PDB file of all heavy atoms in Angstrom:
ATOM      1  N   MET M   3     -75.598 -62.868  54.626  1.00 65.00           N
ATOM      2  CA  MET M   3     -74.766 -63.994  55.050  1.00 65.00           C
ATOM      3  C   MET M   3     -75.141 -64.511  56.450  1.00 65.00           C
ATOM      4  O   MET M   3     -75.075 -65.653  56.751  1.00 65.00           O
ATOM      5  CB  MET M   3     -73.316 -63.578  55.062  1.00 65.00           C
ATOM      6  CG  MET M   3     -72.522 -63.976  53.855  1.00 65.00           C
ATOM      7  SD  MET M   3     -72.655 -65.706  53.462  1.00 65.00           S
ATOM      8  CE  MET M   3     -71.375 -65.978  52.316  1.00 65.00           C
ATOM      9  N   PHE M   4     -75.493 -63.535  57.314  1.00 67.00           N
ATOM     10  CA  PHE M   4     -75.773 -63.852  58.702  1.00 67.00           C
ATOM     11  C   PHE M   4     -77.093 -64.607  58.891  1.00 67.00           C
ATOM     12  O   PHE M   4     -77.336 -65.198  59.936  1.00 67.00           O
ATOM     13  CB  PHE M   4     -75.785 -62.597  59.581  1.00 67.00           C
ATOM     14  CG  PHE M   4     -74.400 -62.090  59.880  1.00 67.00           C
ATOM     15  CD1 PHE M   4     -74.115 -60.751  59.778  1.00 67.00           C
ATOM     16  CD2 PHE M   4     -73.409 -62.972  60.257  1.00 67.00           C
ATOM     17  CE1 PHE M   4     -72.803 -60.312  60.035  1.00 67.00           C
ATOM     18  CE2 PHE M   4     -72.131 -62.547  60.537  1.00 67.00           C
ATOM     19  CZ  PHE M   4     -71.815 -61.208  60.420  1.00 67.00           C
ATOM     20  N   ASN M   5     -77.968 -64.510  57.884  1.00 82.00           N
ATOM     21  CA  ASN M   5     -79.242 -65.224  58.061  1.00 82.00           C
ATOM     22  C   ASN M   5     -79.226 -66.657  57.577  1.00 82.00           C
ATOM     23  O   ASN M   5     -80.176 -67.363  57.786  1.00 82.00           O
ATOM     24  CB  ASN M   5     -80.345 -64.491  57.226  1.00 82.00           C
ATOM     25  CG  ASN M   5     -80.439 -63.043  57.648  1.00 82.00           C
ATOM     26  OD1 ASN M   5     -80.171 -62.729  58.820  1.00 82.00           O
ATOM     27  ND2 ASN M   5     -80.833 -62.167  56.735  1.00 82.00           N
ATOM     28  N   LEU M   6     -78.115 -67.072  56.986  1.00 92.00           N
ATOM     29  CA  LEU M   6     -78.015 -68.439  56.537  1.00 92.00           C
ATOM     30  C   LEU M   6     -77.523 -69.372  57.631  1.00 92.00           C
ATOM     31  O   LEU M   6     -76.877 -68.927  58.578  1.00 92.00           O
ATOM     32  CB  LEU M   6     -77.044 -68.498  55.349  1.00 92.00           C
ATOM     33  CG  LEU M   6     -77.321 -67.623  54.127  1.00 92.00           C
ATOM     34  CD1 LEU M   6     -76.254 -67.742  53.120  1.00 92.00           C
ATOM     35  CD2 LEU M   6     -78.695 -67.976  53.547  1.00 92.00           C
ATOM     36  N   THR M   7     -77.761 -70.653  57.465  1.00 94.00           N
ATOM     37  CA  THR M   7     -77.190 -71.613  58.414  1.00 94.00           C
ATOM     38  C   THR M   7     -75.729 -71.870  58.018  1.00 94.00           C
ATOM     39  O   THR M   7     -75.319 -71.483  56.907  1.00 94.00           O
ATOM     40  CB  THR M   7     -77.925 -72.970  58.338  1.00 94.00           C
ATOM     41  OG1 THR M   7     -77.658 -73.530  57.031  1.00 94.00           O
ATOM     42  CG2 THR M   7     -79.405 -72.837  58.531  1.00 94.00           C
ATOM     43  N   THR M   8     -75.024 -72.492  58.931  1.00 94.00           N
ATOM     44  CA  THR M   8     -73.599 -72.733  58.650  1.00 94.00           C
ATOM     45  C   THR M   8     -73.433 -73.520  57.357  1.00 94.00           C
ATOM     46  O   THR M   8     -72.621 -73.187  56.487  1.00 94.00           O
ATOM     47  CB  THR M   8     -72.968 -73.497  59.824  1.00 94.00           C
ATOM     48  OG1 THR M   8     -73.152 -72.737  60.993  1.00 94.00           O
ATOM     49  CG2 THR M   8     -71.474 -73.699  59.594  1.00 94.00           C
ATOM     50  N   ASP M   9     -74.238 -74.624  57.199  1.00 92.00           N
ATOM     51  CA  ASP M   9     -74.115 -75.427  56.013  1.00 92.00           C
ATOM     52  C   ASP M   9     -74.399 -74.622  54.752  1.00 92.00           C
ATOM     53  O   ASP M   9     -73.729 -74.766  53.724  1.00 92.00           O
ATOM     54  CB  ASP M   9     -75.076 -76.627  56.091  1.00 92.00           C
ATOM     55  CG  ASP M   9     -74.551 -77.689  57.057  1.00 92.00           C
ATOM     56  OD1 ASP M   9     -73.367 -77.574  57.427  1.00 92.00           O
ATOM     57  OD2 ASP M   9     -75.311 -78.606  57.377  1.00 92.00           O
ATOM     58  N   GLN M  10     -75.424 -73.760  54.868  1.00 95.00           N
ATOM     59  CA  GLN M  10     -75.767 -72.940  53.679  1.00 95.00           C
ATOM     60  C   GLN M  10     -74.636 -71.976  53.322  1.00 95.00           C
ATOM     61  O   GLN M  10     -74.312 -71.796  52.137  1.00 95.00           O
ATOM     62  CB  GLN M  10     -77.054 -72.126  53.940  1.00 95.00           C
ATOM     63  CG  GLN M  10     -78.302 -72.947  53.918  1.00 95.00           C
ATOM     64  CD  GLN M  10     -79.520 -72.223  54.394  1.00 95.00           C
ATOM     65  OE1 GLN M  10     -79.401 -71.346  55.290  1.00 95.00           O
ATOM     66  NE2 GLN M  10     -80.678 -72.506  53.830  1.00 95.00           N
ATOM     67  N   ARG M  11     -74.008 -71.402  54.356  1.00 96.00           N
ATOM     68  CA  ARG M  11     -72.876 -70.480  54.091  1.00 96.00           C
ATOM     69  C   ARG M  11     -71.742 -71.209  53.426  1.00 96.00           C
ATOM     70  O   ARG M  11     -71.090 -70.699  52.511  1.00 96.00           O
ATOM     71  CB  ARG M  11     -72.425 -69.818  55.361  1.00 96.00           C
ATOM     72  CG  ARG M  11     -73.319 -68.711  55.866  1.00 96.00           C
ATOM     73  CD  ARG M  11     -72.602 -67.865  56.940  1.00 96.00           C
ATOM     74  NE  ARG M  11     -72.049 -68.664  58.007  1.00 96.00           N
ATOM     75  CZ  ARG M  11     -72.704 -68.939  59.152  1.00 96.00           C
ATOM     76  NH1 ARG M  11     -73.915 -68.458  59.311  1.00 96.00           N
ATOM     77  NH2 ARG M  11     -72.149 -69.702  60.065  1.00 96.00           N
ATOM     78  N   VAL M  12     -71.480 -72.437  53.945  1.00 95.00           N
ATOM     79  CA  VAL M  12     -70.337 -73.217  53.427  1.00 95.00           C
ATOM     80  C   VAL M  12     -70.658 -73.617  51.953  1.00 95.00           C
ATOM     81  O   VAL M  12     -69.795 -73.443  51.124  1.00 95.00           O
ATOM     82  CB  VAL M  12     -70.109 -74.470  54.266  1.00 95.00           C
ATOM     83  CG1 VAL M  12     -69.144 -75.415  53.543  1.00 95.00           C
ATOM     84  CG2 VAL M  12     -69.537 -74.061  55.638  1.00 95.00           C
ATOM     85  N   ASP M  13     -71.870 -74.060  51.700  1.00 94.00           N
ATOM     86  CA  ASP M  13     -72.231 -74.454  50.303  1.00 94.00           C
ATOM     87  C   ASP M  13     -72.093 -73.215  49.364  1.00 94.00           C
ATOM     88  O   ASP M  13     -71.606 -73.320  48.267  1.00 94.00           O
ATOM     89  CB  ASP M  13     -73.668 -74.968  50.266  1.00 94.00           C
ATOM     90  CG  ASP M  13     -73.756 -76.379  50.854  1.00 94.00           C
ATOM     91  OD1 ASP M  13     -72.700 -77.018  50.977  1.00 94.00           O
ATOM     92  OD2 ASP M  13     -74.884 -76.821  51.224  1.00 94.00           O
ATOM     93  N   LYS M  14     -72.522 -72.094  49.870  1.00 95.00           N
ATOM     94  CA  LYS M  14     -72.459 -70.850  49.068  1.00 95.00           C
ATOM     95  C   LYS M  14     -71.003 -70.508  48.749  1.00 95.00           C
ATOM     96  O   LYS M  14     -70.687 -70.145  47.605  1.00 95.00           O
ATOM     97  CB  LYS M  14     -73.131 -69.722  49.826  1.00 95.00           C
ATOM     98  CG  LYS M  14     -73.637 -68.624  48.941  1.00 95.00           C
ATOM     99  CD  LYS M  14     -74.458 -67.610  49.725  1.00 95.00           C
ATOM    100  CE  LYS M  14     -74.478 -66.312  48.947  1.00 95.00           C
ATOM    101  NZ  LYS M  14     -75.112 -65.243  49.646  1.00 95.00           N
ATOM    102  N   ALA M  15     -70.189 -70.633  49.749  1.00 95.00           N
ATOM    103  CA  ALA M  15     -68.738 -70.293  49.543  1.00 95.00           C
ATOM    104  C   ALA M  15     -68.103 -71.276  48.575  1.00 95.00           C
ATOM    105  O   ALA M  15     -67.370 -70.896  47.666  1.00 95.00           O
ATOM    106  CB  ALA M  15     -67.991 -70.341  50.867  1.00 95.00           C
ATOM    107  N   LEU M  16     -68.449 -72.582  48.739  1.00 94.00           N
ATOM    108  CA  LEU M  16     -67.807 -73.577  47.873  1.00 94.00           C
ATOM    109  C   LEU M  16     -68.259 -73.449  46.429  1.00 94.00           C
ATOM    110  O   LEU M  16     -67.558 -73.801  45.505  1.00 94.00           O
ATOM    111  CB  LEU M  16     -68.140 -74.990  48.378  1.00 94.00           C
ATOM    112  CG  LEU M  16     -67.426 -75.354  49.687  1.00 94.00           C
ATOM    113  CD1 LEU M  16     -67.906 -76.743  50.182  1.00 94.00           C
ATOM    114  CD2 LEU M  16     -65.915 -75.372  49.525  1.00 94.00           C
TER     115      LEU M  16
END
Side-chain angles (χ1 to χ4, degrees):
Chain M
M3 261 308 194
F4 284 135
N5 302 332
L6 303 177
T7 65
T8 303
D9 285 349
Q10 285 170 327
R11 283 196 306 268
V12 169
D13 286 343
K14 204 172 159 185
L16 289 175

